[in-house]
Amino acid sequence: MGTDTVRTDAADEAAGRRREQRGWYFYDWACSVYSTSVLTVFLGPYLTAIAESAADTEGYVHPLGIPVRAGSFFAYSVSLSVILAVLVMPLAGAAADRSGRKKPLLAAAAYVGAAATAGMFFLDGDRYLLGGLLLVIANAAQSVAMMLYNSYLPQIAPPEERDAVSSRGWAFGYAAGALVLVLNLVLFTAHDTFGVSESMAVRICLASAGLWWGAFTLVPLRRLRDRRAPETRATVPGLRQLVATVRDMRRHPLTLGFLLAYLVYNDGIQTVISQASVYGSEELGLGQSTLIGAVLLVQILAVAGALGMGRLARRYGAKRTILGSLVAWTLTLAAGYFLPAGAPVWFFALASGIGLVLGGSQALSRSLFSHLVPPGKEAEYFSAYEMSDRGMSWLGPLLFGLTYQLTGSYRDAIISLVAFFILGFALLARVPVRQAISEAGNPVPERI
């Protein structure tokens, strides 16, 4: 009788865990549409056009009386959102760990971001300030929400399941991004058929991402559950909390070593994502439709890549699989250096290579880091991880820009990014992950 009871309890626990995991996947499904349709495709060109329409005769707008080139307004808004996120994330992470109530904080961040994104429907005329404000709010809220979302991973998946669970989450996100991007591109390219202007079509695409984000966030909010932390700690203001988190991480130098490696190679990944379209348009002479098609191809193949690399991790371990992906990134960039101009088929081949390694690199990095986080500090440590993901990726664009400035060649600029993957490989290879997991106070999986 006792054995049957234990088996029943174990089965109930496993069923509850799977229910939470399925709900967790749906937050990636909900929010990834913002990253794909809003940030990657539509908002940058549209907000820049609005700023240019509001500019003076010399091409400047004057937010708060500060002269800013209209063409730089979008980039500055993104930078400001990163600064805001860096200040808020450690505070939100520490509050979540201290109280054990991540779900209300996740809901608040998600719905602030979704509301700001939906509000982009009202961007028309010369409302560039409104656009900048909504972008800062949405982007910062997205970073905070992703930090809280990621911090659930160690709680909803035992060590042996994390690679697969993390990979499925990324796959859900890329699938949603591809689906909604297809619908948006149909509306955008055939806006006359639907009886709307091009501007209205863009505004509908922007707002629909916010509505999608808000609607599907209901699923994880219904299925995820809070777990009260075993100990309580005071929460201090944002900058002091950031310093306190970094000081605490110094007690776990191997965890910090992994984070440094991730910061380096992820900087390369983020720069390739942001600069690939510039390379395609300026160096290869490709049109906008080709570039958008390549973005869509990356989204679709990233689903297969995330799931496939998740399977490889089960066989070879997450660390080896990530190292293999960094080799693949290096070879992909080397191939990109030799792409002929005016040949879309080869650019699509490059996009295919990026898509196949993109999702898996990110998913397995997240799951591997989850093993290195001390119990009870998940949200606090994932705030540092999220800052590495979103707030620290500036060296890559700087190197890309400086290389182009010195050589006048986008080919030299794109191949310069190989340095991030080589250095990231070397740093990650030096991290003894089994020892790092043990020193963080977590069980060491059989294969890692």
Side-chain angles (χ1 to χ4, degrees):
M1 186 70 168
T3 303
D4 292 339
T5 301
V6 170
R7 288 176 178 172
T8 301
D9 290 344
D12 290 343
E13 181 181 348
R17 186 171 69 246
R18 286 192 296 271
R19 174 181 170 82
E20 276 197 278
Q21 289 171 359
R22 287 191 291 268
W24 186 80
Y25 301 148
F26 266 94
Y27 188 71
D28 242 322
W29 176 272
C31 72
S32 293
V33 170
Y34 166 81
S35 299
T36 303
S37 289
V38 177
L39 273 187
T40 304
V41 176
F42 288 110
L43 185 58
Y46 185 67
L47 184 56
T48 299
I50 291 176
E52 288 173 347
S53 70
D56 59 23
T57 55
E58 296 181 350
Y60 286 86
V61 290
H62 299 269
L64 304 178
I66 303 170
V68 173
R69 282 196 178 276
S72 301
F73 183 73
F74 174 74
Y76 288 152
S77 298
V78 172
S79 297
L80 183 58
S81 73
V82 170
I83 293 171
L84 178 60
V86 165
L87 293 175
V88 175
M89 278 193 290
L91 183 61
D97 288 333
R98 176 181 55 83
S99 66
R101 293 178 57 79
K102 296 178 186 177
K103 194 156 67 171
L105 292 169
L106 174 62
Y111 281 107
V112 166
T117 306
M120 293 177 186
F121 179 80
F122 299 102
L123 298 183
D124 61 354
D126 59 358
R127 297 178 178 174
Y128 75 95
L129 275 178
L130 176 62
L133 177 62
L134 293 176
L135 170 57
V136 168
I137 294 172
N139 219 37
Q142 159 77 329
S143 296
V144 174
M146 281 301 296
M147 174 270 295
L148 294 164
Y149 162 74
N150 286 337
S151 71
Y152 270 101
L153 181 59
Q155 298 180 335
I156 64 171
E160 66 275 9
E161 294 182 5
R162 286 184 200 163
D163 292 340
V165 170
S166 182
S167 297
R168 290 186 197 119
W170 276 107
F172 264 62
Y174 282 115
L179 173 61
V180 175
L181 186 56
V182 167
L183 298 176
N184 286 342
L185 290 179
V186 169
L187 174 62
F188 178 73
T189 56
H191 58 86
D192 289 335
T193 304
F194 292 100
V196 298
S197 66
E198 183 177 294
S199 173
M200 176 62 75
V202 172
R203 289 160 55 197
I204 291 173
C205 292
L206 294 173
S208 66
L211 296 176
W212 179 284
W213 186 357
F216 284 103
T217 294
L218 291 172
V219 178
L221 293 180
R222 285 180 61 87
R223 295 199 171 189
L224 292 173
R225 61 187 180 88
D226 285 328
R227 295 157 175 84
R228 185 162 294 280
E231 61 182 57
T232 59
R233 290 172 290 136
T235 303
V236 297
L239 281 175
R240 288 174 56 198
Q241 182 59 58
L242 175 59
V243 172
T245 300
V246 172
R247 185 180 295 120
D248 186 77
M249 292 186 75
R250 291 173 61 186
R251 297 168 49 214
H252 302 279
L254 297 181
T255 300
L256 202 56
F258 170 82
L259 198 60
L260 176 61
Y262 174 73
L263 186 153
V264 171
Y265 69 73
N266 182 66
D267 201 344
I269 292 173
Q270 297 302 322
T271 307
V272 172
I273 293 171
S274 64
Q275 302 302 322
S277 61
V278 175
Y279 183 66
S281 62
E282 299 299 324
E283 183 68 33
L284 305 181
L286 303 176
Q288 185 69 22
S289 59
T290 299
L291 299 176
I292 294 176
V295 171
L296 180 58
L297 180 62
V298 167
Q299 296 293 311
I300 294 171
L301 290 180
V303 177
L307 296 176
M309 287 181 64
R311 293 190 182 96
L312 288 175
R314 287 200 294 273
R315 182 170 182 178
Y316 299 106
K319 179 183 174 180
R320 288 183 180 179
T321 306
I322 295 171
L323 290 172
S325 77
L326 299 181
V327 174
W329 274 106
T330 301
L331 296 176
T332 300
L333 287 183
Y337 177 84
F338 295 103
L339 287 187
V345 64
W346 290 109
F347 190 72
F348 281 121
L350 179 68
S352 300
I354 291 173
L356 288 173
V357 293
L358 174 61
S361 303
Q362 295 172 317
L364 295 179
S365 297
R366 176 172 66 184
S367 62
L368 182 54
F369 182 70
S370 73
H371 293 285
L372 309 180
V373 177
K377 297 184 178 181
E378 292 84 3
E380 186 178 341
Y381 271 56
F382 266 106
S383 70
Y385 179 87
E386 193 68 16
M387 282 187 284
S388 297
D389 189 18
R390 296 172 187 273
M392 304 301 182
S393 297
W394 55 273
L395 280 174
L398 178 62
L399 178 61
F400 186 92
L402 286 176
T403 304
Y404 177 74
Q405 182 173 328
L406 294 173
T407 67
S409 169
Y410 281 106
R411 293 184 187 273
D412 291 339
I414 202 73
I415 200 66
S416 71
L417 301 178
V418 165
F420 289 93
F421 298 105
I422 294 175
L423 181 57
F425 182 100
L427 291 172
L428 178 58
R430 291 171 57 87
V431 177
V433 292
R434 289 186 173 276
Q435 181 183 344
I437 294 170
S438 178
E439 291 183 1
N442 293 316
V444 181
E446 180 180 346
R447 193 177 298 279
I448 190 67

